[in-house]
Amino acid sequence: MKNPDCIFCRIAAGEIPAPKIIDDQWAVAFMDISPLVRGHVLLIPKGHAITVDELSREQAAGLLGHLPSLVKAVKAVTGCQGVNVLQNNGIVAHQLVMHVHFHIIPRNPGDEFHFNWPAGKIAPAQAQHLAEQIKAKL
Ligand code: 5GP
Ligand code: ZN
């Protein structure tokens, strides 16, 4: 279902132009308007959903089924050495556009994109406990 106030719904519907790579029943992929690096692509579901946990299994499958071939094509065209697939949910997680989107970001040594990865520590028993709590909510 389309949200008329949503910029990505409007791109998906062809009302706002974007250089499109994929456009099918489930998904649209297009070039990011303010790329973090050359070749920065966005992959979005066709139907409006704000965060990834709102997608049905069927929507997620239709959307993410495109990921391997899309990443492969981006790698082939940009010649990048690696790729980050990044997906932000919520303002606190740097989500600015409130329609689910996966960033495909080509990576090369010394490129302009940086993020902090403050790897911590967790006791095995605590990790096991958390795993069980999350599993119980599936
Ligand atoms: P977020 O921070 O929400 O994860 O990222 C939103 C992304 O959408 C940003 O990378 C931004 O450049 C991109 N974006 C926002 N508006 C438009 C638009 O109108 N067209 C395109 N192609 N990309 C957009
Ligand atoms: Zn939308």
Side-chain angles (χ1 to χ4, degrees), residues 80-121:
C80 62
Q81 292 188 15
V83 173
N84 283 117
V85 177
L86 194 64
Q87 201 274 315
N88 302 331
N89 296 279
I91 291 168
V92 72
H94 201 287
Q95 183 178 13
L96 301 178
V97 176
M98 295 299 150
H99 179 126
V100 176
H101 50 281
F102 286 77
H103 296 264
I104 292 142
I105 306 166
R107 300 304 310 273
N108 282 299
D111 64 22
E112 305 87 344
F113 180 48
H114 306 281
F115 53 85
N116 192 22
W117 193 283
K121 285 185 165 56

Side-chain angles (χ1 to χ4, degrees), residues 15 43 60:
E15 294 170 8
L43 176 65

